[in-house]
Amino acid sequence: MLSDFQILGSSSSGNCALLRTGHTRILIDAGFSGKRIGQMLEGIGESLANLDAVFLTHEHQDHAQGLRGLSRRPDLPIFANRDTADAVQAKLCRPANWQYFETGASFRFRDIEICTFSLPHDAYDPVGYRFHWGEDDDLFSPRQGLAWVTDLGYVPENVRSHICEVETLVIEANYDENLLEQDNKRPWSTKQRIRGRHGHLSNDATFNLLESLNGNTKLRQVYLAHLSKDCNSVPLVREKFAPLGRIHANLQLHVVDPTFGIAAASNATM
């Protein structure tokens, strides 16, 4: 499933993914330098020149720093809400080709249907995305859905409802509670921000969410992403989420390595 979807990298240092449909190539977030994103794309047989659009979730550097380089393409549409666009544009030396939307809006870009929804995170107006493409009852291009849900301190009911409408979910499992508590690099105030309702999801919180769905969704693939390099690890996440893979035989779980991205995630399938 979803062979046209590649997470180029996902961690507290940078987040970026490529979605390819029959007629469109888009980036979801651009959390690495433009040069680095170009190198990542070349590694999978793509290029910056082939991109049709970028969709930003929020203005934090690990999701938007690539706009400094990508804005060199004046024809490249950058989709974001106004608050996110204004915050990013203030750091750019040239105007980007902003395509504004209201948070909560649904719209279409080429052959992709997009639904946006608000996320609780300490940014100006952070959003999650639900993407749909393909046709019902089409054997060659069946209808598929992907939800991108990272950077949130808890999961409100409306976010949960979006998760239940897709076959593939990217969701963060940002930190292990014990590792965060033991971490000496982060002051108490930072730890409280991370744990707060506008911070990040822990391994436990994400596991409890997926367990509570009880198989009553369309989900077939879950990518556990945005792992903290200091306060989480692939082995910890694999161990924590292994029971879900055993209970739900049709659900594939992938852990996105914070160092190597999706190339290592395939090896971490449970």
Side-chain angles (χ1 to χ4, degrees):
M1 292 180 65
L2 267 190
S3 58
D4 323 3
F5 176 64
Q6 296 276 332
I7 296 180
L8 304 179
S10 182
S11 73
S12 300
S13 300
N15 297 271
C16 185
L18 174 71
L19 175 62
R20 292 180 283 201
T21 66
H23 303 285
T24 309
R25 293 169 173 82
I26 65 169
L27 285 186
I28 308 168
D29 277 337
F32 302 92
S33 70
K35 180 179 180 180
R36 179 67 180 130
I37 293 173
Q39 292 170 341
M40 291 172 164
L41 289 172
E42 288 174 6
I44 58 172
E46 287 291 349
S47 71
L48 292 174
N50 289 339
L51 291 178
D52 295 305
V54 180
F55 288 78
L56 289 186
T57 59
H58 62 294
E59 77 279 1
H60 289 170
Q61 179 168 304
D62 60 327
H63 295 262
Q65 65 173 302
L67 265 294
R68 293 187 184 94
L70 295 178
S71 62
R72 291 192 178 97
R73 262 194 64 185
D75 63 315
L76 182 65
I78 313 295
F79 286 87
N81 57 41
R82 176 73 69 167
D83 284 347
T84 297
D86 288 349
V88 174
Q89 184 60 61
K91 301 176 182 179
L92 302 181
C93 58
R94 63 181 66 82
N97 180 14
W98 295 109
Q99 303 295 311
Y100 301 110
F101 60 78
E102 294 287 336
T103 299
S106 297
F107 54 96
R108 191 176 187 93
F109 176 70
R110 297 166 69 106
D111 61 337
I112 305 177
E113 299 166 23
I114 300 103
C115 180
T116 68
F117 48 94
S118 181
L119 295 178
H121 188 56
D122 57 353
Y124 284 110
D125 190 4
V127 300
Y129 288 104
R130 203 177 80 219
F131 301 97
H132 289 276
W133 64 98
E135 301 294 336
D136 292 327
D137 302 319
D138 188 323
L139 292 177
F140 298 100
S141 182
R143 185 169 175 80
Q144 300 181 64
L146 164 72
W148 183 272
V149 183
T150 66
D151 294 72
L152 67 167
Y154 71 102
V155 182
E157 192 58 38
N158 76 300
V159 175
R160 182 188 177 98
S161 67
H162 287 292
I163 289 172
C164 293
E165 292 298 318
V166 296
E167 290 78 18
T168 299
L169 169 66
V170 179
I171 190 166
E172 70 174 8
N174 182 253
Y175 66 95
D176 172 78
E177 189 67 56
N178 291 330
L179 288 183
L180 179 64
E181 183 63 34
Q182 296 163 12
D183 182 63
N184 294 322
K185 297 180 182 178
R186 292 165 175 79
W188 180 85
S189 59
T190 300
K191 293 179 182 181
Q192 291 301 99
R193 182 191 70 79
I194 292 170
R195 291 182 177 123
R197 286 173 66 81
H198 290 82
H200 288 279
L201 293 181
S202 67
N203 293 346
D204 289 345
T206 302
F207 177 87
N208 292 338
L209 165 69
L210 296 176
E211 185 181 44
S212 72
L213 298 177
N214 201 30
N216 297 320
T217 71
K218 298 178 179 180
L219 280 179
R220 293 295 178 266
Q221 288 199 103
V222 175
Y223 291 85
L224 300 163
H226 209 314
L227 276 65
S228 168
K229 291 182 178 179
D230 296 323
C231 300
N232 212 348
S233 71
V234 169
L236 274 175
V237 176
R238 293 184 68 182
E239 180 181 2
K240 176 67 182 180
F241 288 83
L244 289 179
R246 292 193 292 266
I247 294 170
H248 305 298
N250 294 326
L251 184 64
Q252 296 182 28
L253 293 166
H254 310 271
V255 184
V256 182
D257 191 296
T259 304
F260 300 108
I262 200 60
S266 60
N267 297 325
T269 301
M270 294 177 287

